């Protein structure tokens, strides 16, 4: 969808960072929260607090429907995927555990793991992926040992869009009694997801990308029977007579006043996704990815990084142009053509080391549900133009 921001029309291709625009029901829900809700959910007993608590509960229910979770009690809301991943990682490991991850991870996985490894709490194995960003699942299985407690892996790379072999790894983990945490920041809302058939134990999501919620929303789904220690303890509005933190979900992993207004927006975003249909969203975004890949492949001097086939990716496409730094390309696209994308390392230095694009990174186009085919064509024309001018 072309938008006017200020004077200039723009083409927004940065949905991998955060989705834009947000659907009207999300904007209305956030605004309505301030006028019609406004109480603290689960705290006071007056009508505004009760209305806010109901909305909070409904957000959990919608999220649970989207993920195919058997019970909404096991959905825990956090500020973002980063907090959910930190909660899950620190909440399940104990000193001496072995943890396995891939070399395509975002820093929201890599940094907490590196920190715990440097502190001597865990032994970490990072399984190398190919220079196209693919993980051979057998390599990951070979890294598992009797001491492995946890495998953490992204569902789809935020650099190449590559879908990782989650069902295969889930199976290998289940057979060995190893916990499997999946980072679904790039897939929740973009791909049909069912936590039970995926076979994962913990799944972290963010609210502000393909779920169309506001920033400051996200969460963690925890399989029934999986024990997770809280990251923070405090007021929950429940068991207020008790100085010990509650042991039951979701209160156990949610302390402090929640981002109720953000969750009102997230609920509207998730309901929007459910009514549009995740499969329909997927097909539209797959078509955008295929169109982009086809067009980019024909541009002389352009290198795609990853980007095998649209079927095996989310709509995140990375490329470089010979002789031009990604930051220069990003600047030219923004200034000259109103095309907004992300350049550089995308908070994923390990992925760029894997792809051979460290330290300057790549240009990343991430179309979304509101992108049109015409916008994809205009973006391709702009890249063609920049590449042509570069060649002189
Ligand atoms: C693969 C991946 N994981 C985690 C995150 C972190 O998400 P958030 O910024 O919502 O914490 C992102 C965001 O870019 C991501 O792309």
């Amino acid at each position: 969808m072309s938008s006017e921001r200020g004077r200039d029309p723009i083409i927004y291709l940065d949905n991998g960072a955060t989705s834009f625009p947000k659907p009207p029901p999300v904007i209305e829900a956030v605004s309505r929260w301030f006028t019609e809700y406004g109480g603290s959910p689960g705290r006071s007993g007056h009508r505004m607090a009760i209305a806010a608590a109901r909305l909070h509960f409904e957000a959990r229910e919608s999220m649970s429907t989207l993920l195919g979770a058997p019970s909404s009690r096991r959905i825990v809301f956090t500020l973002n995927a980063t907090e959910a991943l930190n909660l899950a990682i620190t909440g399940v490991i104990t000193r001496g555990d072995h943890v396995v991850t891939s070399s395509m991870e975002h820093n929201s996985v890599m940094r907490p793991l590196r920190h715990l490894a440097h502190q001597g709490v865990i032994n970490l194995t990072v399984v190398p992926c190919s220079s196209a960003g693919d993980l051979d699942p057998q390599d990951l299985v070979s890294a598992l040992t009797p001491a492995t407690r946890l495998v953490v892996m992204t569902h789809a790379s935020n650099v190449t869009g590559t879908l990782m072999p989650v069902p295969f790894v889930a199976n290998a983990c289940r057979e060995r009694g190893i916990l499997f945490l999946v980072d679904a920041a790039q897939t929740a809302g973009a791909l049909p997801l069912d936590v039970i058939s995926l076979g994962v134990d913990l799944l972290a999501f963010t609210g502000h990308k393909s779920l169309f919620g506001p920033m400051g929303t996200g969460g963690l789904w925890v399989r029934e029977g999986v024990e997770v220690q809280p990251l923070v303890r405090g007021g929950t509005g429940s068991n207020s007579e008790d100085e010990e933190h509650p042991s039951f979900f979701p209160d156990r992993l949610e302390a402090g006043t929640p981002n109720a207004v953000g969750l009102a927006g997230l609920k509207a975003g998730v309901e929007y996704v459910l009514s549009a249909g995740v499969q329909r969203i997927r097909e539209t975004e797959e078509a955008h990815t295929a169109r982009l890949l086809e067009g980019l492949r024909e541009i002389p001097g352009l290198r795609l990084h990853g980007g095998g086939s649209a079927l095996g990716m989310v709509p995140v496409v990375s490329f470089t142009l010979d002789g031009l730094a990604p930051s220069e390309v990003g600047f030219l696209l923004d200034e000259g053509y109103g095309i907004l994308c992300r350049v550089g390392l995308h908070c994923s230095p390990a992925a760029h080391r894997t792809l051979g694009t460290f330290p300057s990174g790549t240009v990343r186009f991430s179309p979304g549900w509101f992108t049109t085919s015409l916008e994809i064509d205009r973006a391709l024309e702009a890249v063609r133009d920049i590449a042509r001018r570069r060649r002189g």
Side-chain angles (χ1 to χ4, degrees), residues 16-17 80-83 85 106 108 154 156 158 183 185-186 206 208-209:
N80 43 45
T82 303
E83 191 184 48
L85 289 160
H106 189 274
S108 56
T154 191
N158 65 313
D183 171 5
Q186 292 292 341
T206 198
H208 63 98
K209 299 186 199 270

Side-chain angles (χ1 to χ4, degrees), residues 66-68 155 187-195 197-198 273 277-283 286:
L66 185 98
L67 296 179
H155 194 182
T187 53
L191 276 189
L193 277 187
D194 181 303
V195 284
S197 57
L198 262 187
V273 168
V278 186
Q279 186 54 36
R280 215 169 110 227
I281 292 175
R282 170 67 183 156
E283 282 160 18
E286 216 170 81

Side-chain angles (χ1 to χ4, degrees), residues 16-18 79-85 104-109 154-159 183-186 205-209 217-218 342 346-348 364:
T18 198
L79 275 183
N80 43 45
T82 303
E83 191 184 48
L85 289 160
M104 287 301 286
E105 303 303 314
H106 189 274
N107 267 344
S108 56
V109 166
T154 191
H155 194 182
S157 161
N158 65 313
V159 178
D183 171 5
Q186 292 292 341
F205 58 92
T206 198
H208 63 98
K209 299 186 199 270
T217 59
R342 185 164 175 193
H346 318 101
C347 296
S348 305
R364 184 183 79 174

Side-chain angles (χ1 to χ4, degrees), residues 244-281:
E244 299 297 327
H245 198 65
S247 58
F248 54 87
F249 275 71
D251 300 32
R252 174 170 178 68
L253 301 182
E254 287 181 1
T257 304
N259 177 12
V261 58
L263 293 175
L266 178 63
K267 165 177 141 51
V270 172
E271 286 168 3
Y272 176 88
V273 168
L274 289 169
S275 74
V278 186
Q279 186 54 36
R280 215 169 110 227
I281 292 175

